[in-house]
């Protein structure tokens, strides 16, 4: 059956090529639907509890997506006329940014003071260009003493200030984020041109969202060409066949077009992780093509006609290539267990690409090779001779290898606990990224973007004026301010204390919480009536006035530090104010949990994939013993790679949590190809175990190291990505594939010779 199919392919080669191009172009038409996702929420599934908590908080109060302009004057003086004028001008202009909901700065900060029995609420600075020196000095003293401003909109040394624009996106189209980012960048440039002594840095959640597709596009412009060039040069050198290299290139191009087209038809949005798919599937397609081409070229070298050599190559490679396609696809599909949707998309896209690669490598590739002129090169190549030397070495030292390699494996696996979980989303971008540099500057000089938000509930309508509730909130704020890495605490109680002081003739002795509920309510009502449009307290108090938003700003800290401080906060609330206990919610909390959640979910996915792959191998090889032995070289690379990572790096996060599932399907390929040749030698040619190992090395050894080298190269190039999620994933995957090759060459053959049984 299969031979008739392959004869049809070779006899109808022009028809096969034409059909391959037509079908691919129909699929590729779906690329018109491709769009980039530009929201950090893409990393969280709808059922993610931290995302649910954060969205509930945002629905209660206003959304907190923002653009933060960080202004750094050269002279280090914010409270000079020219710098304060720039802040004032920027504050007014920022209201024109699309979807802006609120603008906060030191100039429009609603300063309050007493004037007789009246409460005056006014901008802290007006007409800054005309302010006398003594007013500038007074404004500075007020600003650097107000807890609502310091480490939020003004640095303690008053050398850097910020203008924070709260953004309420309509969330109807994907152009909203770039629209806001572009407007913010243009505004920053205008201010810098008019006030050349000021350098402006742009950060905030909207700018981070905008950085995701920007990083992806940057990778596509730099990594893709590098990958194509490196792989093609490597293939040409290793295959020493221009027609083979050219045909592989055509297969790769059609496979990528087809995969991306299907992605478009399925309306899967692109994201930084999925932009790596073309590189991933390109390397996997090469593996299929190389196996067909190596055996085909070998057949021609030993005297077979082109058609016979192709038929023989397809005959002996169909089962292993089909098996590796299935196992690789299962490995990638296990990413559907991931808690982060972009990695599910990556898995599904890669699985589609793997299947397309298989179809094209057994149809289009042989059809093209039939048309193109192919010359048989020299007989045994240097690579083949090297494989035979390696086979003899492994056979001669099989016992020693088992002990030495086995001991090394145990040593590396024992290092896995050296890895600690860490996910700092700012560090998803490398230091060449503008958002990363701006955020680092803001954190070092003004404020951070790592937040923990709480909705503290009094349990009754109007309860935010309850003195006991306010005292608890104030105590919680004081506790937080004493914790390490805390930059700022935004709490309603600071406003209440200021109002109480104002209502007592600005006497500092009265800078404390009102001790009567009716007084608190009156102060709050008076203050709210005095606030201008857009600067009200809706972002801090809910409609029923029963709860208040409490925001903690932290330095850029690790996942473990973030979770530890939140856990301590929960303990404090449970002990001191159980009635207003609330879970912390924010993007920082979401990212802090995602790595841990993803590791747990991927353990389930990887385990299921391993069971399915093992069952397939046992059925395919018709041997429980061989199928069982294949588990070791399939699991060892993943365990040793994470052990080596623990020794050299020691940090794992969201991206690395999917590597085990992704690489499981890839590393199985080498094992399948080696075992299929080993069993063919035992069953078809009646060889003993040692000769079967020699046969496997001679027939598939070269293809294995060529494909492994290309795969390692491809994923190693991903390590150059400016998006650190992709870089870390690429590097660890490359290491895993390299260790898999070592396991298949140095560990699997001794296992087969010693424990492979008397397979007939």
């Amino acid at each position: 059956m299969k031979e008739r199919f392959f004869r049809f392919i070779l006899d109808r080669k022009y028809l096969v090529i034409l059909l391959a191009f037509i079908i691919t172009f129909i699929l590729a038409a779906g690329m018109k639907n491709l769009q980039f996702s530009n929201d950090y929420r893409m990393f969280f599934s709808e059922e993610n509890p931290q995302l649910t908590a954060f969205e509930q908080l945002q629905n209660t109060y206003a959304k907190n997506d923002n653009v933060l302009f960080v202004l750094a004057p050269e002279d280090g003086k914010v409270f000079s006329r020219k710098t304060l004028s720039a802040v004032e001008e920027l504050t007014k202009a920022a209201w024109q940014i699309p979807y802006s909901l609120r603008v906060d700065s030191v100039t429009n900060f609603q300063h309050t003071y007493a004037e007789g029995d009246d409460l005056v609420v006014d901008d802290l600075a007006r007409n800054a260009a005309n302010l006398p020196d003594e007013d500038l000095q007074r404004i500075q003293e007020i600003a650097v003493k107000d807890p609502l401003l310091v480490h939020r909109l003004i640095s303690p040394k008053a050398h850097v200030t910020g203008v924070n624009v709260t953004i309420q996106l309509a969330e109807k189209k994907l152009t909203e984020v770039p629209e806001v980012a572009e407007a913010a960048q243009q505004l920053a440039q205008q201010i810098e041109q008019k006030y050349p002594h000021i350098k402006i840095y742009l950060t905030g959640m909207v700018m981070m969202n905008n950085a995701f597709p920007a990083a992806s596009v940057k990778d596509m412009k730099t990594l893709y060409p590098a990958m194509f060039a490196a792989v093609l040069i490597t293939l040409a050198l290793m295959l020493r066949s221009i027609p083979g290299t050219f045909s592989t290139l055509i297969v790769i191009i059609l496979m990528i077009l087809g995969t991306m087209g299907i992605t478009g038809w399925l309306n899967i949005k692109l994201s930084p992780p999925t932009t790596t798919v073309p590189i991933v599937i390109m390397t996997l397609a090469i593996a299929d093509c190389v196996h067909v081409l190596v055996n085909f070229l070998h057949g021609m070298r030993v005297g077979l006609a082109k058609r016979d050599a192709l038929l023989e190559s397809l005959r002996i490679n169909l089962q292993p290539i089909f098996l590796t396609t299935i196992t690789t696809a299962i490995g990638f599909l296990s990413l559907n267990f991931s808690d982060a949707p972009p990695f599910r998309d990556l898995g599904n896209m890669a699985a589609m690409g793997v299947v397309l690669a298989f179809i094209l490598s057994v149809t289009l590739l042989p059809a093209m090779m039939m048309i193109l002129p192919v010359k048989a090169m020299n007989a045994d190549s240097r690579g083949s001779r090297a494989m035979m030397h390696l086979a003899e070495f492994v056979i001669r030292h099989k016992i020693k290898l088992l002990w030495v390699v086995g001991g090394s494996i145990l040593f590396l696996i024992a290092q896995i606990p050296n890895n600690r979980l860490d996910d700092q989303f700012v560090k998803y971008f490398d230091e060449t990224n503008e958002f990363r540099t701006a955020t680092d500057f803001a954190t070092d000089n003004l404020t951070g973007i790592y937040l923990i938000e709480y909705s503290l509930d009094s349990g009754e309508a109007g309860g935010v004026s309850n003195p006991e509730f306010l005292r608890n909130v104030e105590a919680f704020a004081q506790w937080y301010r004493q914790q390490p890495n805390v930059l700022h605490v935004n709490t309603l109680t600071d406003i209440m204390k200021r109002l109480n002081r104002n209502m007592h003739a600005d006497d500092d002795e009265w800078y404390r919480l009102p001790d009567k509920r009716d007084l608190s309510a009156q102060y709050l009502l008076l203050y709210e009536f005095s606030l201008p449009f857009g600067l009200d307290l809706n972002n801090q108090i809910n409609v029923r006035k029963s709860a208040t938003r409490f925001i903690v700003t932290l330095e850029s800290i690790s996942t473990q530090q973030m979770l530890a401080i939140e856990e301590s906060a929960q303990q404090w609330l449970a002990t001191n104010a159980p009635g207003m206990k609330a879970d912390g919610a924010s993007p920082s909390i979401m990212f802090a949990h995602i790595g841990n959640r993803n590791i747990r979910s991927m353990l389930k996915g990887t385990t299921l994939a391993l069971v399915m792959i093992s069952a397939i191998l046992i059925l395919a090889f018709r041997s429980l013993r061989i199928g069982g032995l294949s588990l070791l070289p399939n699991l060892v690379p993943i365990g040793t790679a994470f052990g080596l990572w623990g020794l050299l790096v020691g940090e794992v996060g969201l991206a690395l949590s999917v590597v085990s599932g992704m690489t499981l399907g890839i590393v199985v390929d080498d094992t399948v190809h080696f075992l299929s040749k080993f069993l063919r030698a035992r069953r078809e040619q009646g060889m003993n175990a040692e000769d079967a190992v020699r046969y496997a090395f001679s027939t598939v050894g070269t293809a294995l190291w060529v494909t492994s080298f290309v795969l390692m190269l491809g994923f190693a190039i991903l390590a150059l990505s400016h998006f650190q999620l992709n870089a870390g994933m690429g590097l660890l995957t490359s290491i895993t594939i390299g260790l898999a090759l070592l396991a298949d060459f140095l560990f699997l053959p001794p296992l087969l010779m010693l424990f492979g049984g008397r397979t007939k």
Side-chain angles (χ1 to χ4, degrees):
M1 176 69 182
K2 63 184 180 185
E3 290 190 6
R4 286 175 56 193
F5 173 72
F6 290 134
R7 288 181 195 282
F8 174 83
I9 296 290
L10 300 184
D11 292 340
R12 302 286 189 276
K13 47 190 175 294
Y14 291 105
L15 177 63
V16 170
I17 294 172
L18 182 63
L19 284 175
F21 273 84
I22 290 174
I23 294 172
T24 302
F25 287 141
I26 291 173
L27 295 177
M31 290 174 66
K32 66 178 185 295
N33 300 323
L34 291 177
Q35 290 180 310
F36 272 107
S37 179
N38 50 23
D39 189 342
Y40 67 86
R41 292 175 179 83
M42 65 183 157
F43 285 102
F44 307 94
S45 58
E46 291 181 359
E47 59 271 21
N48 184 291
Q50 286 79 36
L51 175 63
T52 304
F54 182 57
E55 291 193 333
Q56 283 177 348
L57 189 142
Q58 290 206 315
N59 290 335
T60 303
Y61 307 94
K63 285 200 171 185
N64 217 13
D65 290 345
N66 70 319
V67 175
L68 178 63
F69 295 78
V70 181
L71 290 79
E74 286 178 351
D75 58 4
K77 296 179 180 176
V78 169
F79 294 96
S80 65
R81 289 181 194 83
K82 56 182 181 180
T83 299
L84 218 51
S85 296
V87 175
E88 193 173 16
E89 186 173 337
L90 177 58
T91 302
K92 290 178 182 175
W95 284 101
Q96 303 306 314
I97 291 176
Y99 311 106
S100 60
L101 185 68
R102 180 186 178 104
V103 181
D104 290 288
S105 72
V106 289
T107 57
N108 77 346
F109 174 70
Q110 293 306 290
H111 175 55
T112 56
Y113 58 95
E115 201 167 80
D117 293 333
D118 295 329
L119 174 69
V120 179
V121 181
D122 198 5
D123 291 354
L124 182 58
R126 285 181 183 273
N127 301 317
N130 300 318
L131 288 175
D133 290 344
E134 55 270 25
D135 280 0
L136 290 172
Q137 183 64 32
R138 178 183 58 81
I139 291 170
Q140 177 173 341
E141 289 176 2
I142 292 171
V144 298
K145 288 180 180 177
D146 197 302
L148 288 175
L149 289 178
V150 179
H151 276 308
R152 178 168 167 258
L153 294 175
I154 187 70
S155 63
K157 295 189 292 185
H159 72 297
V160 171
T161 187
V163 176
N164 188 61
V165 185
T166 304
I167 302 294
Q168 179 97 36
L169 295 174
E171 298 182 354
K172 292 182 178 176
K173 51 186 180 179
L174 291 173
T175 56
E176 293 172 4
V177 167
E179 193 180 344
V180 173
E182 185 179 352
Q185 288 161 348
Q186 288 179 354
L187 181 55
Q189 288 172 2
Q190 290 170 14
I191 297 296
E192 282 182 335
Q193 287 172 0
K194 187 171 180 180
Y195 301 92
H197 71 291
I198 295 176
K199 168 71 176 172
I200 298 180
Y201 299 85
L202 286 171
T203 183
M205 299 312 291
V206 173
M207 300 311 295
M208 184 177 82
N209 286 341
N210 190 59
F212 283 120
S216 301
V217 171
K218 193 174 181 180
D219 275 358
M220 290 167 69
K221 288 180 179 176
T222 55
L223 297 187
Y224 287 14
M227 178 66 191
F228 261 101
V231 166
L232 289 179
I233 292 171
T234 307
L235 269 180
L237 290 174
M238 292 181 171
L239 292 176
R240 293 191 298 164
S241 168
I242 293 176
T245 305
F246 176 73
S247 301
T248 304
L249 175 64
I250 297 300
V251 167
I252 289 171
I253 291 173
L254 294 193
M255 184 263 304
I256 292 175
L257 288 175
T259 304
M260 301 310 287
I262 296 173
T263 301
W265 287 122
L266 294 177
N267 289 321
I268 297 174
K269 288 188 177 64
L270 296 180
S271 59
T274 58
T275 55
T276 64
V277 168
I279 293 179
V280 172
I281 58 178
M282 175 165 49
T283 56
L284 296 169
I286 287 170
D288 287 350
C289 294
V290 164
H291 281 289
V292 173
L293 290 172
V294 165
N295 288 108
F296 162 64
L297 295 171
H298 175 75
M300 289 194 67
R301 286 190 198 108
V302 298
L304 292 177
K306 181 196 281 186
R307 191 170 185 278
D308 294 336
L310 271 173
L311 282 174
E312 176 63 11
S313 177
L314 291 169
R315 186 183 75 82
I316 65 174
N317 279 302
L318 179 64
Q319 186 203 34
I321 292 179
F322 177 73
L323 271 179
T324 55
T325 298
I326 298 297
T327 53
T328 304
I330 289 174
F332 277 110
L333 289 175
S334 74
L335 297 189
N336 279 287
F337 281 82
S338 171
D339 206 49
F343 290 105
R344 299 178 192 171
D345 295 338
L346 186 155
N348 293 330
M349 290 170 66
M352 290 188 291
V354 168
V355 173
L356 279 180
F358 167 74
I359 295 171
L360 291 171
S361 62
V362 298
T363 55
L364 178 63
L365 179 69
M368 289 190 66
M369 293 306 291
M370 277 299 290
I371 294 174
L372 295 171
V374 182
K375 288 178 64 177
M377 303 296 287
N378 295 331
D380 287 335
S381 64
R382 190 181 303 172
S384 299
R385 291 195 297 274
M387 284 297 106
M388 290 313 299
H389 288 307
L390 180 58
E392 294 302 329
F393 171 81
V394 171
I395 292 168
R396 194 163 52 246
H397 301 289
K398 53 181 177 291
I399 303 292
K400 292 179 184 172
L401 279 175
L402 205 58
W403 282 104
V404 172
V405 176
S408 302
I409 289 169
L410 290 176
F411 170 76
L412 286 175
I413 290 177
Q415 309 308 313
I416 292 177
N418 289 332
N419 290 297
R420 63 184 176 86
L421 191 63
D422 193 11
D423 251 324
Q424 293 190 47
F425 59 82
V426 170
K427 292 185 179 178
Y428 286 177
F429 306 91
D430 70 8
E431 293 178 351
T432 65
N433 184 283
E434 284 186 23
F435 165 75
R436 168 71 185 276
T437 54
T439 304
D440 285 348
F441 180 85
T443 304
D444 292 340
N445 294 277
L446 179 62
T447 189
I449 67 168
Y450 281 60
L451 307 176
I452 303 179
E453 301 185 33
Y454 301 86
S455 178
L456 301 178
D457 199 333
S458 66
E460 58 175 334
V464 294
S465 300
N466 186 328
E468 183 180 354
F469 172 72
L470 289 174
R471 281 194 292 273
N472 285 333
V473 174
E474 176 65 9
F476 191 39
Q478 293 304 327
W479 175 84
Y480 245 126
R481 283 170 176 147
Q482 293 168 5
Q483 304 308 305
N485 305 311
V486 173
L487 290 172
H488 183 260
V489 177
N490 192 340
T491 169
L492 175 68
T493 56
D494 286 333
I495 295 175
M496 298 304 295
K497 287 189 291 184
R498 179 155 52 92
L499 293 176
N500 195 34
R501 179 178 61 189
N502 296 146
M503 299 311 292
H504 289 84
D506 287 338
D507 184 350
D508 288 338
E509 290 291 324
W510 287 90
Y511 186 71
R512 59 178 187 255
L513 292 170
D515 51 12
K516 293 182 179 177
R517 181 169 181 155
D518 57 342
L519 279 181
S520 297
Q522 288 174 20
Y523 294 167
L524 202 55
L525 184 65
L526 188 59
Y527 180 61
E528 284 189 288
F529 275 139
S530 305
L531 290 173
F533 177 77
L535 294 178
D536 53 39
L537 293 179
N538 289 338
N539 64 335
Q540 279 191 272
I541 301 174
N542 68 353
V543 175
R544 294 179 65 238
K545 290 187 170 26
S546 62
T548 179
R549 191 180 210 166
F550 183 95
I551 304 174
V552 182
T553 306
L554 301 112
E555 297 172 356
S556 297
I557 58 177
S558 70
T559 293
Q560 297 303 321
Q561 290 172 306
M562 175 68 72
L563 294 176
I565 198 167
E566 162 62 0
E567 185 179 350
S568 299
Q570 292 303 317
Q571 290 173 357
W572 189 95
L573 286 171
T575 304
N576 299 283
M580 65 179 197
K581 192 172 186 307
D583 290 331
S586 69
S588 311
I589 290 290
M590 289 153 58
F591 278 105
H593 282 280
I594 187 68
N596 205 5
R597 286 178 57 82
N598 212 45
I599 286 174
R600 288 202 302 271
S601 56
M602 282 311 303
L603 276 176
K604 298 176 188 171
T606 306
T607 303
L608 180 61
L610 181 65
V611 170
M612 293 177 67
I613 289 172
S614 300
I616 289 172
L617 294 185
I618 289 170
L619 288 175
F621 294 138
R622 291 173 289 149
S623 169
L624 183 61
R625 180 191 292 266
I626 295 296
L629 282 179
S630 70
L631 281 175
L632 283 175
N634 292 339
L635 288 177
V636 159
I638 298 169
T640 51
F642 273 95
L644 189 61
W645 193 266
L647 275 178
L648 302 178
V649 181
E651 287 183 1
V652 295
L654 174 61
L656 302 192
S657 64
V658 302
V659 168
S660 57
M662 195 170 76
T663 54
L664 178 62
I666 299 174
V667 300
V668 169
D669 290 13
D670 287 355
T671 309
V672 167
H673 281 289
F674 195 95
L675 283 175
S676 68
K677 301 300 184 293
F678 175 83
L679 292 175
R680 180 180 293 276
R682 300 291 312 265
R683 291 168 176 168
E684 292 185 6
Q685 304 184 26
M687 295 181 183
N688 61 27
E690 284 73 14
D691 285 341
V693 166
R694 289 189 182 93
Y695 176 81
F697 269 106
S698 66
T699 54
V700 81
T702 301
L704 288 188
W705 80 261
V706 169
T707 54
S708 295
F709 182 80
V710 172
L711 283 165
M712 288 176 63
L713 182 66
F715 282 100
I717 287 177
L718 268 186
L720 302 176
S721 169
H722 297 285
F723 193 66
Q724 293 303 302
L725 278 184
N726 295 344
M729 183 178 68
L731 183 58
L732 184 56
T733 304
S734 182
I735 291 172
T736 307
I737 293 170
L739 291 171
L741 183 65
L742 289 177
D744 284 314
F745 278 175
L746 302 179
F747 194 55
L748 178 61
L751 282 176
L752 292 174
M753 286 183 279
L754 295 172
F755 307 108
R758 297 179 179 178
T759 308
K760 294 180 180 178

